[in-house]
Amino acid sequence: MSALMVSIVTPYGKIFDGSVTSITLPGVEGEFGVIEGHSDLLSLLKTGVIEIIRGEQRDLVAINWGYAKVQSQQVDVLVDGAVLISEHKGDIAMAIENAKKLLEDSSNDKIAISGVVSKIDNMVKGK
């Protein structure tokens, strides 16, 4: 089985580029998951968290807004602002604080933001 290739890019450069098992994106019409073989689509993304699964590893990318182009073996994500929260890279506490700030600065919807922040906190506590 071939892998799904994912690229997440901001105006400042790539946040993530690699092969994944699955990815979940915060579309404006609701969250949606993508695995290899997915139908082609283009979606506007809202403030939220992208969840990346690579085997046993799970990473989160907090975003303020963007676009996703999904093809059967490739997902290209262009976002205005993003923070990668990875258990395997650097200072996770600093990444979480940066992600929370990005999310809170990007929306006035406090209920939606608290749900996203809770998802980030649960990822850290779940390990």
Side-chain angles (χ1 to χ4, degrees), residues 15-44:
I15 293 292
F16 180 88
D17 189 32
S19 173
V20 307
T21 307
S22 68
I23 184 170
T24 303
L25 300 152
V28 293
E29 298 295 323
E31 245 182 21
F32 63 97
V34 178
I35 60 172
E36 184 200 5
H38 197 285
S39 298
D40 294 354
L41 69 89
L42 185 61
S43 177
L44 179 62

PDB file of all heavy atoms in Angstrom, residues 15-44:
ATOM      1  N   ILE A  15       5.553  23.717   7.140  1.00  0.00           N
ATOM      2  CA  ILE A  15       5.371  23.276   8.520  1.00  0.00           C
ATOM      3  C   ILE A  15       5.513  21.760   8.579  1.00  0.00           C
ATOM      4  O   ILE A  15       6.045  21.211   9.528  1.00  0.00           O
ATOM      5  CB  ILE A  15       3.969  23.687   9.036  1.00  0.00           C
ATOM      6  CG1 ILE A  15       3.863  25.191   9.154  1.00  0.00           C
ATOM      7  CG2 ILE A  15       3.643  23.029  10.362  1.00  0.00           C
ATOM      8  CD1 ILE A  15       4.716  25.792  10.226  1.00  0.00           C
ATOM      9  N   PHE A  16       5.015  21.084   7.536  1.00  0.00           N
ATOM     10  CA  PHE A  16       5.060  19.619   7.510  1.00  0.00           C
ATOM     11  C   PHE A  16       5.138  19.167   6.063  1.00  0.00           C
ATOM     12  O   PHE A  16       4.498  19.735   5.181  1.00  0.00           O
ATOM     13  CB  PHE A  16       3.800  19.038   8.164  1.00  0.00           C
ATOM     14  CG  PHE A  16       3.775  17.534   8.188  1.00  0.00           C
ATOM     15  CD1 PHE A  16       4.351  16.842   9.237  1.00  0.00           C
ATOM     16  CD2 PHE A  16       3.212  16.818   7.139  1.00  0.00           C
ATOM     17  CE1 PHE A  16       4.350  15.454   9.257  1.00  0.00           C
ATOM     18  CE2 PHE A  16       3.207  15.430   7.150  1.00  0.00           C
ATOM     19  CZ  PHE A  16       3.787  14.751   8.209  1.00  0.00           C
ATOM     20  N   ASP A  17       5.917  18.117   5.818  1.00  0.00           N
ATOM     21  CA  ASP A  17       6.026  17.524   4.493  1.00  0.00           C
ATOM     22  C   ASP A  17       6.422  16.070   4.669  1.00  0.00           C
ATOM     23  O   ASP A  17       7.495  15.787   5.192  1.00  0.00           O
ATOM     24  CB  ASP A  17       7.072  18.269   3.657  1.00  0.00           C
ATOM     25  CG  ASP A  17       7.076  17.845   2.203  1.00  0.00           C
ATOM     26  OD1 ASP A  17       6.003  17.482   1.686  1.00  0.00           O
ATOM     27  OD2 ASP A  17       8.147  17.877   1.576  1.00  0.00           O
ATOM     28  N   GLY A  18       5.534  15.158   4.319  1.00  0.00           N
ATOM     29  CA  GLY A  18       5.885  13.755   4.471  1.00  0.00           C
ATOM     30  C   GLY A  18       4.736  12.811   4.197  1.00  0.00           C
ATOM     31  O   GLY A  18       3.633  13.207   3.825  1.00  0.00           O
ATOM     32  N   SER A  19       5.022  11.551   4.412  1.00  0.00           N
ATOM     33  CA  SER A  19       4.093  10.471   4.184  1.00  0.00           C
ATOM     34  C   SER A  19       3.287  10.211   5.461  1.00  0.00           C
ATOM     35  O   SER A  19       3.856  10.162   6.547  1.00  0.00           O
ATOM     36  CB  SER A  19       4.906   9.233   3.803  1.00  0.00           C
ATOM     37  OG  SER A  19       4.101   8.115   3.723  1.00  0.00           O
ATOM     38  N   VAL A  20       1.976  10.051   5.325  1.00  0.00           N
ATOM     39  CA  VAL A  20       1.116   9.841   6.488  1.00  0.00           C
ATOM     40  C   VAL A  20       0.151   8.681   6.243  1.00  0.00           C
ATOM     41  O   VAL A  20      -0.090   8.287   5.103  1.00  0.00           O
ATOM     42  CB  VAL A  20       0.299  11.109   6.847  1.00  0.00           C
ATOM     43  CG1 VAL A  20       1.208  12.312   7.013  1.00  0.00           C
ATOM     44  CG2 VAL A  20      -0.777  11.393   5.822  1.00  0.00           C
ATOM     45  N   THR A  21      -0.401   8.170   7.326  1.00  0.00           N
ATOM     46  CA  THR A  21      -1.439   7.146   7.250  1.00  0.00           C
ATOM     47  C   THR A  21      -2.793   7.801   6.992  1.00  0.00           C
ATOM     48  O   THR A  21      -3.570   7.349   6.157  1.00  0.00           O
ATOM     49  CB  THR A  21      -1.495   6.337   8.568  1.00  0.00           C
ATOM     50  OG1 THR A  21      -0.185   5.850   8.859  1.00  0.00           O
ATOM     51  CG2 THR A  21      -2.469   5.189   8.471  1.00  0.00           C
ATOM     52  N   SER A  22      -3.064   8.892   7.746  1.00  0.00           N
ATOM     53  CA  SER A  22      -4.313   9.636   7.571  1.00  0.00           C
ATOM     54  C   SER A  22      -4.127  11.059   8.080  1.00  0.00           C
ATOM     55  O   SER A  22      -3.192  11.358   8.821  1.00  0.00           O
ATOM     56  CB  SER A  22      -5.471   8.962   8.303  1.00  0.00           C
ATOM     57  OG  SER A  22      -5.297   9.050   9.699  1.00  0.00           O
ATOM     58  N   ILE A  23      -5.058  11.916   7.676  1.00  0.00           N
ATOM     59  CA  ILE A  23      -5.054  13.310   8.123  1.00  0.00           C
ATOM     60  C   ILE A  23      -6.504  13.738   8.317  1.00  0.00           C
ATOM     61  O   ILE A  23      -7.384  13.354   7.538  1.00  0.00           O
ATOM     62  CB  ILE A  23      -4.310  14.227   7.116  1.00  0.00           C
ATOM     63  CG1 ILE A  23      -4.229  15.674   7.624  1.00  0.00           C
ATOM     64  CG2 ILE A  23      -4.936  14.166   5.746  1.00  0.00           C
ATOM     65  CD1 ILE A  23      -3.303  16.569   6.799  1.00  0.00           C
ATOM     66  N   THR A  24      -6.756  14.504   9.376  1.00  0.00           N
ATOM     67  CA  THR A  24      -8.083  15.057   9.642  1.00  0.00           C
ATOM     68  C   THR A  24      -7.964  16.572   9.587  1.00  0.00           C
ATOM     69  O   THR A  24      -7.086  17.156  10.228  1.00  0.00           O
ATOM     70  CB  THR A  24      -8.609  14.608  11.015  1.00  0.00           C
ATOM     71  OG1 THR A  24      -8.623  13.176  11.051  1.00  0.00           O
ATOM     72  CG2 THR A  24     -10.011  15.126  11.263  1.00  0.00           C
ATOM     73  N   LEU A  25      -8.852  17.203   8.834  1.00  0.00           N
ATOM     74  CA  LEU A  25      -8.783  18.643   8.577  1.00  0.00           C
ATOM     75  C   LEU A  25     -10.047  19.348   9.066  1.00  0.00           C
ATOM     76  O   LEU A  25     -11.148  18.802   8.971  1.00  0.00           O
ATOM     77  CB  LEU A  25      -8.614  18.891   7.078  1.00  0.00           C
ATOM     78  CG  LEU A  25      -7.359  18.268   6.462  1.00  0.00           C
ATOM     79  CD1 LEU A  25      -7.567  17.938   5.012  1.00  0.00           C
ATOM     80  CD2 LEU A  25      -6.192  19.213   6.643  1.00  0.00           C
ATOM     81  N   PRO A  26      -9.905  20.611   9.550  1.00  0.00           N
ATOM     82  CA  PRO A  26     -11.067  21.379  10.018  1.00  0.00           C
ATOM     83  C   PRO A  26     -11.725  22.174   8.887  1.00  0.00           C
ATOM     84  O   PRO A  26     -11.514  23.374   8.732  1.00  0.00           O
ATOM     85  CB  PRO A  26     -10.454  22.310  11.066  1.00  0.00           C
ATOM     86  CG  PRO A  26      -9.072  22.577  10.544  1.00  0.00           C
ATOM     87  CD  PRO A  26      -8.642  21.287   9.885  1.00  0.00           C
ATOM     88  N   GLY A  27     -12.515  21.514   8.060  1.00  0.00           N
ATOM     89  CA  GLY A  27     -13.197  22.194   6.960  1.00  0.00           C
ATOM     90  C   GLY A  27     -14.289  23.131   7.460  1.00  0.00           C
ATOM     91  O   GLY A  27     -14.809  22.957   8.554  1.00  0.00           O
ATOM     92  N   VAL A  28     -14.629  24.118   6.657  1.00  0.00           N
ATOM     93  CA  VAL A  28     -15.670  25.066   7.074  1.00  0.00           C
ATOM     94  C   VAL A  28     -17.035  24.388   7.201  1.00  0.00           C
ATOM     95  O   VAL A  28     -17.890  24.863   7.941  1.00  0.00           O
ATOM     96  CB  VAL A  28     -15.774  26.288   6.136  1.00  0.00           C
ATOM     97  CG1 VAL A  28     -14.534  27.143   6.213  1.00  0.00           C
ATOM     98  CG2 VAL A  28     -16.060  25.885   4.720  1.00  0.00           C
ATOM     99  N   GLU A  29     -17.236  23.278   6.501  1.00  0.00           N
ATOM    100  CA  GLU A  29     -18.501  22.535   6.598  1.00  0.00           C
ATOM    101  C   GLU A  29     -18.422  21.435   7.645  1.00  0.00           C
ATOM    102  O   GLU A  29     -19.365  20.677   7.818  1.00  0.00           O
ATOM    103  CB  GLU A  29     -18.857  21.935   5.239  1.00  0.00           C
ATOM    104  CG  GLU A  29     -19.075  22.966   4.145  1.00  0.00           C
ATOM    105  CD  GLU A  29     -20.278  23.842   4.403  1.00  0.00           C
ATOM    106  OE1 GLU A  29     -21.293  23.339   4.914  1.00  0.00           O
ATOM    107  OE2 GLU A  29     -20.210  25.042   4.093  1.00  0.00           O
ATOM    108  N   GLY A  30     -17.289  21.328   8.339  1.00  0.00           N
ATOM    109  CA  GLY A  30     -17.098  20.307   9.361  1.00  0.00           C
ATOM    110  C   GLY A  30     -15.782  19.578   9.155  1.00  0.00           C
ATOM    111  O   GLY A  30     -15.183  19.639   8.086  1.00  0.00           O
ATOM    112  N   GLU A  31     -15.346  18.902  10.204  1.00  0.00           N
ATOM    113  CA  GLU A  31     -14.100  18.146  10.146  1.00  0.00           C
ATOM    114  C   GLU A  31     -14.234  16.988   9.166  1.00  0.00           C
ATOM    115  O   GLU A  31     -15.290  16.365   9.088  1.00  0.00           O
ATOM    116  CB  GLU A  31     -13.802  17.556  11.533  1.00  0.00           C
ATOM    117  CG  GLU A  31     -12.576  18.101  12.161  1.00  0.00           C
ATOM    118  CD  GLU A  31     -12.285  17.452  13.510  1.00  0.00           C
ATOM    119  OE1 GLU A  31     -12.750  16.344  13.818  1.00  0.00           O
ATOM    120  OE2 GLU A  31     -11.568  18.108  14.254  1.00  0.00           O
ATOM    121  N   PHE A  32     -13.151  16.701   8.427  1.00  0.00           N
ATOM    122  CA  PHE A  32     -13.181  15.552   7.528  1.00  0.00           C
ATOM    123  C   PHE A  32     -11.822  14.875   7.508  1.00  0.00           C
ATOM    124  O   PHE A  32     -10.792  15.506   7.665  1.00  0.00           O
ATOM    125  CB  PHE A  32     -13.628  15.943   6.106  1.00  0.00           C
ATOM    126  CG  PHE A  32     -12.705  16.897   5.391  1.00  0.00           C
ATOM    127  CD1 PHE A  32     -11.751  16.408   4.492  1.00  0.00           C
ATOM    128  CD2 PHE A  32     -12.792  18.260   5.587  1.00  0.00           C
ATOM    129  CE1 PHE A  32     -10.907  17.276   3.808  1.00  0.00           C
ATOM    130  CE2 PHE A  32     -11.959  19.142   4.917  1.00  0.00           C
ATOM    131  CZ  PHE A  32     -11.009  18.643   4.028  1.00  0.00           C
ATOM    132  N   GLY A  33     -11.866  13.563   7.373  1.00  0.00           N
ATOM    133  CA  GLY A  33     -10.649  12.768   7.346  1.00  0.00           C
ATOM    134  C   GLY A  33     -10.305  12.342   5.932  1.00  0.00           C
ATOM    135  O   GLY A  33     -11.181  12.207   5.075  1.00  0.00           O
ATOM    136  N   VAL A  34      -9.000  12.133   5.710  1.00  0.00           N
ATOM    137  CA  VAL A  34      -8.523  11.733   4.393  1.00  0.00           C
ATOM    138  C   VAL A  34      -7.545  10.573   4.564  1.00  0.00           C
ATOM    139  O   VAL A  34      -6.647  10.640   5.405  1.00  0.00           O
ATOM    140  CB  VAL A  34      -7.803  12.901   3.673  1.00  0.00           C
ATOM    141  CG1 VAL A  34      -7.257  12.455   2.324  1.00  0.00           C
ATOM    142  CG2 VAL A  34      -8.711  14.107   3.522  1.00  0.00           C
ATOM    143  N   ILE A  35      -7.738   9.530   3.772  1.00  0.00           N
ATOM    144  CA  ILE A  35      -6.785   8.439   3.659  1.00  0.00           C
ATOM    145  C   ILE A  35      -6.470   8.278   2.173  1.00  0.00           C
ATOM    146  O   ILE A  35      -7.134   8.893   1.320  1.00  0.00           O
ATOM    147  CB  ILE A  35      -7.315   7.121   4.259  1.00  0.00           C
ATOM    148  CG1 ILE A  35      -8.599   6.676   3.562  1.00  0.00           C
ATOM    149  CG2 ILE A  35      -7.533   7.254   5.756  1.00  0.00           C
ATOM    150  CD1 ILE A  35      -9.093   5.299   3.966  1.00  0.00           C
ATOM    151  N   GLU A  36      -5.484   7.441   1.870  1.00  0.00           N
ATOM    152  CA  GLU A  36      -5.121   7.222   0.478  1.00  0.00           C
ATOM    153  C   GLU A  36      -6.342   6.740  -0.313  1.00  0.00           C
ATOM    154  O   GLU A  36      -7.151   5.963   0.188  1.00  0.00           O
ATOM    155  CB  GLU A  36      -4.013   6.175   0.383  1.00  0.00           C
ATOM    156  CG  GLU A  36      -3.554   5.992  -1.033  1.00  0.00           C
ATOM    157  CD  GLU A  36      -2.833   4.693  -1.269  1.00  0.00           C
ATOM    158  OE1 GLU A  36      -2.761   3.862  -0.360  1.00  0.00           O
ATOM    159  OE2 GLU A  36      -2.373   4.522  -2.390  1.00  0.00           O
ATOM    160  N   GLY A  37      -6.498   7.263  -1.525  1.00  0.00           N
ATOM    161  CA  GLY A  37      -7.618   6.890  -2.372  1.00  0.00           C
ATOM    162  C   GLY A  37      -8.827   7.803  -2.244  1.00  0.00           C
ATOM    163  O   GLY A  37      -9.848   7.572  -2.896  1.00  0.00           O
ATOM    164  N   HIS A  38      -8.727   8.842  -1.428  1.00  0.00           N
ATOM    165  CA  HIS A  38      -9.838   9.785  -1.230  1.00  0.00           C
ATOM    166  C   HIS A  38     -10.197  10.466  -2.549  1.00  0.00           C
ATOM    167  O   HIS A  38      -9.346  10.688  -3.401  1.00  0.00           O
ATOM    168  CB  HIS A  38      -9.427  10.839  -0.199  1.00  0.00           C
ATOM    169  CG  HIS A  38     -10.570  11.603   0.385  1.00  0.00           C
ATOM    170  ND1 HIS A  38     -11.239  12.595  -0.302  1.00  0.00           N
ATOM    171  CD2 HIS A  38     -11.161  11.528   1.603  1.00  0.00           C
ATOM    172  CE1 HIS A  38     -12.185  13.099   0.473  1.00  0.00           C
ATOM    173  NE2 HIS A  38     -12.163  12.468   1.622  1.00  0.00           N
ATOM    174  N   SER A  39     -11.442  10.825  -2.699  1.00  0.00           N
ATOM    175  CA  SER A  39     -11.888  11.580  -3.871  1.00  0.00           C
ATOM    176  C   SER A  39     -11.257  12.960  -3.868  1.00  0.00           C
ATOM    177  O   SER A  39     -10.990  13.529  -2.806  1.00  0.00           O
ATOM    178  CB  SER A  39     -13.415  11.738  -3.852  1.00  0.00           C
ATOM    179  OG  SER A  39     -14.042  10.499  -3.915  1.00  0.00           O
ATOM    180  N   ASP A  40     -11.054  13.505  -5.058  1.00  0.00           N
ATOM    181  CA  ASP A  40     -10.484  14.842  -5.181  1.00  0.00           C
ATOM    182  C   ASP A  40     -11.474  15.882  -4.668  1.00  0.00           C
ATOM    183  O   ASP A  40     -12.684  15.777  -4.909  1.00  0.00           O
ATOM    184  CB  ASP A  40     -10.168  15.161  -6.639  1.00  0.00           C
ATOM    185  CG  ASP A  40      -9.068  14.280  -7.218  1.00  0.00           C
ATOM    186  OD1 ASP A  40      -8.465  13.496  -6.460  1.00  0.00           O
ATOM    187  OD2 ASP A  40      -8.809  14.392  -8.426  1.00  0.00           O
ATOM    188  N   LEU A  41     -10.946  16.869  -3.951  1.00  0.00           N
ATOM    189  CA  LEU A  41     -11.776  17.982  -3.504  1.00  0.00           C
ATOM    190  C   LEU A  41     -10.904  19.168  -3.119  1.00  0.00           C
ATOM    191  O   LEU A  41      -9.706  19.031  -2.890  1.00  0.00           O
ATOM    192  CB  LEU A  41     -12.686  17.589  -2.333  1.00  0.00           C
ATOM    193  CG  LEU A  41     -12.078  17.294  -0.959  1.00  0.00           C
ATOM    194  CD1 LEU A  41     -11.980  18.548  -0.116  1.00  0.00           C
ATOM    195  CD2 LEU A  41     -12.962  16.294  -0.241  1.00  0.00           C
ATOM    196  N   LEU A  42     -11.517  20.315  -3.065  1.00  0.00           N
ATOM    197  CA  LEU A  42     -10.880  21.545  -2.613  1.00  0.00           C
ATOM    198  C   LEU A  42     -11.751  22.083  -1.496  1.00  0.00           C
ATOM    199  O   LEU A  42     -12.968  22.176  -1.648  1.00  0.00           O
ATOM    200  CB  LEU A  42     -10.798  22.555  -3.760  1.00  0.00           C
ATOM    201  CG  LEU A  42     -10.056  23.854  -3.494  1.00  0.00           C
ATOM    202  CD1 LEU A  42      -8.604  23.588  -3.154  1.00  0.00           C
ATOM    203  CD2 LEU A  42     -10.159  24.768  -4.706  1.00  0.00           C
ATOM    204  N   SER A  43     -11.139  22.413  -0.342  1.00  0.00           N
ATOM    205  CA  SER A  43     -11.927  22.856   0.809  1.00  0.00           C
ATOM    206  C   SER A  43     -11.302  24.072   1.465  1.00  0.00           C
ATOM    207  O   SER A  43     -10.074  24.164   1.586  1.00  0.00           O
ATOM    208  CB  SER A  43     -12.030  21.730   1.846  1.00  0.00           C
ATOM    209  OG  SER A  43     -12.727  22.177   2.995  1.00  0.00           O
ATOM    210  N   LEU A  44     -12.151  24.977   1.910  1.00  0.00           N
ATOM    211  CA  LEU A  44     -11.730  26.081   2.758  1.00  0.00           C
ATOM    212  C   LEU A  44     -11.619  25.531   4.174  1.00  0.00           C
ATOM    213  O   LEU A  44     -12.474  24.760   4.609  1.00  0.00           O
ATOM    214  CB  LEU A  44     -12.766  27.210   2.699  1.00  0.00           C
ATOM    215  CG  LEU A  44     -12.504  28.456   3.543  1.00  0.00           C
ATOM    216  CD1 LEU A  44     -11.213  29.148   3.114  1.00  0.00           C
ATOM    217  CD2 LEU A  44     -13.678  29.419   3.410  1.00  0.00           C
TER     218      LEU A  44
END
